[in-house]
C-alpha cells in the first residue's frame, strides 16, 4: 500500500555508463535544472557500449517482495526537471488592509516565481518577487493603484 517515487538516470556521458536511482527524492529538488548530487544509489557494472536496447520493470517472485506492483505513471525525459515537475505553490493567506493587498504562498519546489499584475486581464506586467518570510513560505505586498487588480505567479 505504499507509494514510492523512483527517478532513474542512465548516464551516456561517462564510461562505463553509470546508472543512478533516487527513491523518494526531496520535493525541494523538483523542477531543478540538475539532479541532486546526493541521495541516490548507483552502479557502474555491466558492459560498455553507450547503448540501451531495453528498459525492464521487473517483479520478483520471492516472498519478501509484494505480490503485485502498480505503475500509475512513467515519465521519460532528458533532464531532472523533465521528470520531476515542481509541485505548484499553494496560496496560504490573502488580506487587503488600507489599500494594500498582501498574499502568502508556500513553495517547496526548486522553482522561483515572479508576481505579475493587470487591471484588465490582457496586459500583464511584472510586479516583483515575493519575500521569503520563513522556510518555503513567501509573502507579496502591493499597494493597488487600479480599482480592480489581478495577480498571477509565473515561473520562468
Amino acid at each position: 500500500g505504499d507509494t514510492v517515487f523512483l527517478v532513474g538516470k542512465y548516464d551516456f556521458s561517462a564510461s562505463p555508463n553509470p546508472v543512478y536511482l533516487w527513491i523518494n527524492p526531496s520535493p525541494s529538488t523538483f523542477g531543478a535544472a540538475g539532479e541532486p548530487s546526493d541521495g541516490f544509489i548507483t552502479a557502474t557494472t555491466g558492459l560498455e557500449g553507450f547503448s540501451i536496447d531495453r528498459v525492464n520493470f521487473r517483479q520478483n517472485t520471492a516472498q519478501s517482495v509484494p505480490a503485485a506492483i502498480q505503475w500509475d505513471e512513467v515519465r521519460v525525459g532528458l533532464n531532472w526537471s523533465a521528470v520531476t515537475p515542481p509541485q505548484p505553490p499553494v496560496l496560504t493567506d490573502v488580506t487587503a488592509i488600507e489599500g494594500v493587498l498582501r498574499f502568502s504562498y508556500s513553495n517547496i519546489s526548486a522553482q522561483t516565481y515572479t508576481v505579475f499584475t493587470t487591471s484588465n486581464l490582457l496586459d500583464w506586467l511584472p510586479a516583483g518577487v515575493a519575500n521569503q518570510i520563513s522556510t518555503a513560505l513567501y509573502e507579496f505586498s502591493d499597494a493597488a493603484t487600479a480599482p480592480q487588480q489581478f495577480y498571477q505567479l509565473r515561473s520562468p
Side-chain angles (χ1 to χ4, degrees):
D2 291 334
T3 299
V4 180
F5 181 40
L6 304 174
V7 181
K9 173 185 176 182
Y10 183 89
D11 191 344
F12 289 94
S13 66
S15 180
N17 304 121
V19 177
Y20 300 86
L21 177 67
W22 288 264
I23 303 170
N24 292 328
S26 171
S28 67
T29 68
F30 294 1
E35 70 267 5
S37 59
D38 59 3
F40 55 83
I41 57 177
T42 188
T44 56
T45 57
L47 299 175
E48 184 55 56
F50 297 105
S51 63
I52 297 176
D53 68 349
R54 69 186 61 109
V55 174
N56 294 310
F57 297 107
R58 179 175 175 218
Q59 174 61 44
N60 290 333
T61 59
Q63 295 297 322
S64 64
V65 296
I69 292 179
Q70 178 179 341
W71 300 89
D72 66 356
E73 185 174 358
V74 175
R75 301 176 190 154
V76 177
L78 296 176
N79 55 43
W80 184 261
S81 64
V83 296
T84 61
Q87 296 185 10
V90 176
L91 190 65
T92 58
D93 189 32
V94 178
T95 60
I97 300 172
E98 297 178 7
V100 176
L101 174 84
R102 180 172 288 124
F103 65 86
S104 302
Y105 63 91
S106 64
N107 177 22
I108 62 170
S109 76
Q111 295 293 108
T112 58
Y113 291 90
T114 301
V115 178
F116 282 73
T117 185
T118 183
S119 60
N120 60 16
L121 294 176
L122 296 174
D123 304 311
W124 291 91
L125 297 172
V129 295
N131 295 315
Q132 186 170 5
I133 58 174
S134 66
T135 302
L137 187 62
Y138 297 81
E139 182 179 83
F140 181 80
S141 297
D142 188 32
T145 57
Q148 62 183 10
Q149 201 79 353
F150 301 94
Y151 295 86
Q152 180 182 86
L153 280 178
R154 290 187 195 172
S155 181

